[in-house]
């Protein structure tokens, strides 16, 4: 059964550094999402992406964040200058035209 | 603003006993409601959605619009039900974002 994959599983970075989190959505899916979960808190929506553009973004998704689908298979989340408070689990999800979103296993980002 | 509330962070139930995980929501209109489950070291996966009205792994959930609730129930808990359960809502008719509750960690005591 096809699955969403994410790399790396764990990323450690210094404050102020740029990080890129990578996701490979399920191949025939059209809608892509990033969510994050700070330890002990709820899963929060960051951004959705459809037809090569952002369709919605949350207040969290400020100018430090960007998303890209560079080659038709990968979907990336870039954080330009990481802050301590960006430490969280980042989940990628994808969906067809329909309600079910399929989640990846997550990337744990630790900012020191 | 849309919001999902799961009042219990932790819930422990004996094997064979009934389970009820509570979920209340706030939304102006008729949202789509979901239950997602995350087993230990696994990814978030969809358990139930209200529009399908099905029973998955013995779990059911009924949407109560009057009480704005979508509680998850199972008559007889099994050890393999131990997991983190998240209630979520979404605007209808689209591929909109999911809004999650804080989750309930269910532990089944053998």
């Amino acid at each position: 059964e096809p699955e969403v994959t994410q790399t790396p599983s764990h990323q450690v970075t210094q404050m102020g550094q740029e990080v890129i989190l990578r996701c490979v959505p399920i191949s025939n899916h059209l809608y892509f999402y990033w969510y994050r979960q700070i330890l002990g808190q709820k899963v929060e929506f960051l951004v959705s992406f459809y037809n090569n553009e952002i369709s919605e973004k949350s207040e969290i998704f400020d100018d430090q964040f960007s998303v890209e689908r560079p080659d038709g298979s990968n979907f990336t989340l870039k954080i330009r200058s990481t802050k301590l408070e960006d430490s969280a689990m980042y989940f990628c999800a994808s969906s067809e035209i329909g309600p079910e979103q399929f989640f990846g296993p997550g990337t744990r980002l630790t900012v020191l | 603003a849309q919001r999902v509330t799961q009042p219990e962070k932790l819930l422990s139930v004996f094997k064979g006993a009934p389970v009820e995980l509570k979920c209340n929501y706030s939304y102006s209109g008729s949202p789509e409601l979901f239950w997602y489950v995350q087993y230990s070291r696994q990814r978030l996966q969809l358990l139930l959605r209200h529009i399908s009205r099905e029973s998955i792994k013995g779990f059911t959930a009924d949407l109560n619009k009057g009480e704005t609730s979508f509680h998850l129930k199972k008559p007889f808990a099994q050890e393999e039900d131990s997991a983190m359960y998240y209630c979520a809502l979404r605007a209808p008719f689209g591929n909109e974002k999911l809004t999650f509750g804080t989750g309930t960690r269910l532990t089944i005591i053998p």
Side-chain angles (χ1 to χ4, degrees), chain A residues 18-54:
Chain A
E18 174 183 287
V19 294
I20 297 175
L21 310 182
R22 301 180 195 281
C23 168
V24 179
I26 295 172
S27 63
N28 61 333
H29 284 187
L30 301 174
Y31 297 85
F32 314 111
Y33 311 84
W34 283 102
Y35 294 84
R36 79 171 186 192
Q37 185 176 31
I38 295 171
L39 189 64
Q41 298 184 26
K42 63 173 69 177
V43 176
E44 300 173 289
F45 168 76
L46 292 178
V47 66
S48 57
F49 192 87
Y50 169 71
N51 202 23
N52 282 319
E53 60 184 30
I54 290 173

Side-chain angles (χ1 to χ4, degrees), chain A residues 46-106:
Chain A
L46 292 178
V47 66
S48 57
F49 192 87
Y50 169 71
N51 202 23
N52 282 319
E53 60 184 30
I54 290 173
S55 45
E56 186 178 2
K57 58 184 180 179
S58 72
E59 292 173 353
I60 304 166
F61 194 88
D62 62 21
D63 292 343
Q64 293 299 312
F65 290 88
S66 62
V67 289
E68 202 177 30
R69 189 153 161 80
D71 56 13
S73 62
N74 289 283
F75 179 51
T76 61
L77 174 69
K78 184 196 290 188
I79 309 175
R80 284 189 190 80
S81 177
T82 49
K83 308 186 199 69
L84 295 175
E85 53 265 37
D86 294 327
S87 293
M89 196 77 166
Y90 287 80
F91 295 104
C92 174
S94 69
S95 70
E96 297 177 282
I97 298 173
E100 184 171 359
Q101 294 182 19
F102 293 81
F103 283 79

Side-chain angles (χ1 to χ4, degrees), chain A residues 3-5 31 33 35 37 40-43 45 48 56 91 95-101 103-105, chain B residues 3-4 9 32 34 36 38 42-46 49 51 86 90 94-102:
Chain A
E3 289 184 328
V4 176
T5 59
Y31 297 85
Y33 311 84
Y35 294 84
Q37 185 176 31
Q41 298 184 26
K42 63 173 69 177
V43 176
F45 168 76
S48 57
E56 186 178 2
F91 295 104
S95 70
E96 297 177 282
I97 298 173
E100 184 171 359
Q101 294 182 19
F103 283 79
Chain B
R3 189 169 63 245
V4 177
K9 277 197 149 176
E32 292 191 47
F34 305 85
Y36 276 79
Q38 189 172 30
Q42 295 187 28
R43 64 190 65 205
L44 271 167
Q45 55 188 279
L46 180 65
R49 53 185 184 232
I51 54 172
Y86 294 94
R90 204 195 69 163
N95 283 75
E96 306 287 328
K97 68 185 179 196
L98 289 166
T99 297
F100 286 89
T102 47

Side-chain angles (χ1 to χ4, degrees), chain B residues 21-76:
Chain B
L21 300 170
K22 292 187 167 51
C23 172
N24 288 88
Y25 66 90
S26 173
Y27 185 83
S28 55
S30 296
E32 292 191 47
L33 274 298
F34 305 85
W35 277 99
Y36 276 79
V37 61
Q38 189 172 30
Y39 300 103
S40 180
R41 295 190 183 84
Q42 295 187 28
R43 64 190 65 205
L44 271 167
Q45 55 188 279
L46 180 65
L47 180 64
L48 281 179
R49 53 185 184 232
H50 87 274
I51 54 172
S52 59
R53 294 184 156 269
E54 52 193 347
S55 172
I56 305 290
K57 300 185 180 185
F59 284 97
T60 58
D62 288 319
L63 178 61
N64 185 323
K65 291 184 180 178
E67 295 182 0
T68 58
S69 68
F70 187 57
H71 303 327
L72 184 68
K73 298 177 185 179
K74 183 169 181 176
F76 307 105

